[in-house]
Amino acid sequence: MMKSNLFTLLITLFALQYTFAQTIEIKAKVVDKADNTPLIGVGTSLILISSSNKKVGALTDTNGVFKFSVSEKGTYTLNLSYIGYQDFTKQIRIDKSINLGTIEMLTSTQVLNEVTVAGKQVRVEQKGDTLSYNAGAYKVNQDASAEDLIKKMPGVTIENGQVKAQGEAVKKVMLDGKEFFGDDAMMALKNLPAEIIDKVQVFDRMSEQAQFTGFNDGNTDKTINITTKSGKSNGQFGKVYGGYGTDDRYSTGGNVNYFKKDQRISVIGMSNNINQQNFASEDLLGVLGTNANTGGNRGGGGNGGGGNSGDFLTNQQNGITGTNAIGINYTDNWGKKIKFTGSYFFNQTGNENLTNISRVITAGRTLNQLYDEIRTTNNQNYN
């Protein structure tokens, strides 16, 4: 019995001695190559090349030191990774415990993806006597006009076709500090695309006489100044429309506007056979460079200077009328003292008027008188 126990004890001691003999330690210190400071929490791994399943890992301590214990000799791959530093890889042969000394890691120069910092944009600011709205803070449809944009701004309303700010009627709309469509604020706002607007400024503008003399007489006009986004003050914009229906009825038209510094060229046109004999107010947007007062119907195109919408209207006729019309307006500053404005309008209408009259006149019990009249009138007008 004693011999058997002694033999078992010897075998156990031999096995423990063999196990301790096979335990191999690997350690090293990891530092920043630039300033030699220890790197804490560097992820390290040791993989046996002949068997990728045999892998151990560790993190560096507060002194930047890591330690591994392996039980098998062979060639290993040492990997080090750390945020902001280049990965480190090295193959080492391990036959016994080894201290790899100091491993230096290089900072990474990789450019990260673009970072966007988003914040809530200021919607309105008070700067002196000017109330400034940031257009980008108000969401509108892609094809919205300036009118659609300002409806969303607090303190600005549109009542019965008139623009009001802080309860007062807006008399003028300016574009980048210059007059835009004269005294008709609505026509200016309907014609300007919202996408080009950067800010909308509301303020009290001194009268023309006060600006000329430099003496403030107390008379002011509520004014809106629209500032455009960079590179948007020059360009082209407009609209086109068209429709076709039963009995070969159709309507088409539009307007195109070209702006370049002080020069503005606008063209409008329409063609239809649905009895629309004059441009709608929306069609006239973009062609009236000065006063846009809506005049009454006129018996011709007139020779106006583009300042009155009546210059682009004709007398309304009875019957079914087909109309073809075109108008152009040109505005520019010639030097510092001369402002030139001119317009041309042409309107052709073909009118057909058919009248049927039937009458029955009773003179007695047996005497009746019948009257029938058919009258057809065709005329062509050129204005």
Side-chain angles (χ1 to χ4, degrees), residues 208-246:
E208 299 286 350
Q209 183 175 356
Q211 293 181 59
F212 179 75
T213 62
F215 175 75
N216 188 354
D217 56 6
N219 295 322
T220 60
D221 293 325
K222 188 65 71 175
T223 303
I224 287 179
N225 179 49
I226 295 174
T227 62
T228 57
K229 296 177 181 177
S230 177
K232 297 289 187 178
S233 57
N234 297 330
Q236 304 84 39
F237 58 90
K239 73 168 186 177
V240 292
Y241 63 87
Y244 182 82
T246 58

Side-chain angles (χ1 to χ4, degrees), residues 173 179-189 191 255-257 259 264-268 279-295 301 304-313 327-331 339 341-345:
V173 172
E179 287 194 15
F180 189 58
F181 294 103
D183 296 330
D184 197 319
M186 278 302 300
M187 299 191 90
L189 296 175
N191 196 46
N255 64 57
V256 178
N257 307 278
F259 284 8
R264 298 173 182 174
I265 302 173
S266 302
V267 179
I268 56 173
F279 291 107
S281 60
E282 290 83 0
D283 296 326
L284 292 174
L285 302 178
V287 301
L288 304 178
T290 55
N291 292 331
N293 301 317
T294 302
N308 194 312
S309 59
D311 296 334
F312 296 91
L313 302 175
I328 184 171
N329 188 82
Y330 175 85
T331 302
K339 179 178 181 179
T341 299
S343 66
Y344 179 80
F345 170 69

Side-chain angles (χ1 to χ4, degrees), residues 167-375:
E168 298 182 40
V170 174
K171 299 297 185 181
K172 288 185 181 293
V173 172
M174 306 179 73
L175 183 65
D176 292 326
K178 298 180 181 179
E179 287 194 15
F180 189 58
F181 294 103
D183 296 330
D184 197 319
M186 278 302 300
M187 299 191 90
L189 296 175
K190 285 184 176 181
N191 196 46
L192 193 65
E195 63 181 353
I196 72 170
I197 300 175
D198 180 39
K199 293 183 185 299
V200 175
Q201 300 169 330
V202 180
F203 61 96
D204 292 321
R205 185 171 182 257
M206 291 193 301
S207 64
E208 299 286 350
Q209 183 175 356
Q211 293 181 59
F212 179 75
T213 62
F215 175 75
N216 188 354
D217 56 6
N219 295 322
T220 60
D221 293 325
K222 188 65 71 175
T223 303
I224 287 179
N225 179 49
I226 295 174
T227 62
T228 57
K229 296 177 181 177
S230 177
K232 297 289 187 178
S233 57
N234 297 330
Q236 304 84 39
F237 58 90
K239 73 168 186 177
V240 292
Y241 63 87
Y244 182 82
T246 58
D247 299 326
D248 292 328
R249 299 302 177 188
Y250 74 91
S251 176
T252 184
N255 64 57
V256 178
N257 307 278
Y258 172 81
F259 284 8
K260 185 177 181 180
K261 296 183 179 180
D262 295 322
Q263 186 182 83
R264 298 173 182 174
I265 302 173
S266 302
V267 179
I268 56 173
M270 73 170 180
S271 178
N272 71 85
N273 62 357
I274 59 172
N275 213 36
Q276 181 184 342
Q277 300 174 36
N278 284 298
F279 291 107
S281 60
E282 290 83 0
D283 296 326
L284 292 174
L285 302 178
V287 301
L288 304 178
T290 55
N291 292 331
N293 301 317
T294 302
N297 292 339
R298 299 176 51 152
N303 61 357
N308 194 312
S309 59
D311 296 334
F312 296 91
L313 302 175
T314 62
N315 287 329
Q316 193 81 8
Q317 301 181 66
N318 295 324
I320 302 300
T321 303
T323 303
N324 298 293
I326 189 170
I328 184 171
N329 188 82
Y330 175 85
T331 302
D332 199 0
N333 289 343
W334 294 353
K336 296 182 178 180
K337 297 184 178 181
I338 300 176
K339 179 178 181 179
F340 179 85
T341 299
S343 66
Y344 179 80
F345 170 69
F346 175 79
N347 176 285
Q348 178 270 326
T349 57
N351 179 269
E352 179 181 351
N353 195 342
L354 176 63
T355 305
N356 290 320
I357 301 176
S358 295
R359 295 174 183 167
V360 178
I361 302 173
T362 301
R365 290 185 177 182
T366 59
L367 182 62
N368 292 328
Q369 185 178 10
L370 304 179
Y371 176 85
D372 290 310
E373 177 182 332
I374 300 176
R375 182 169 59 192

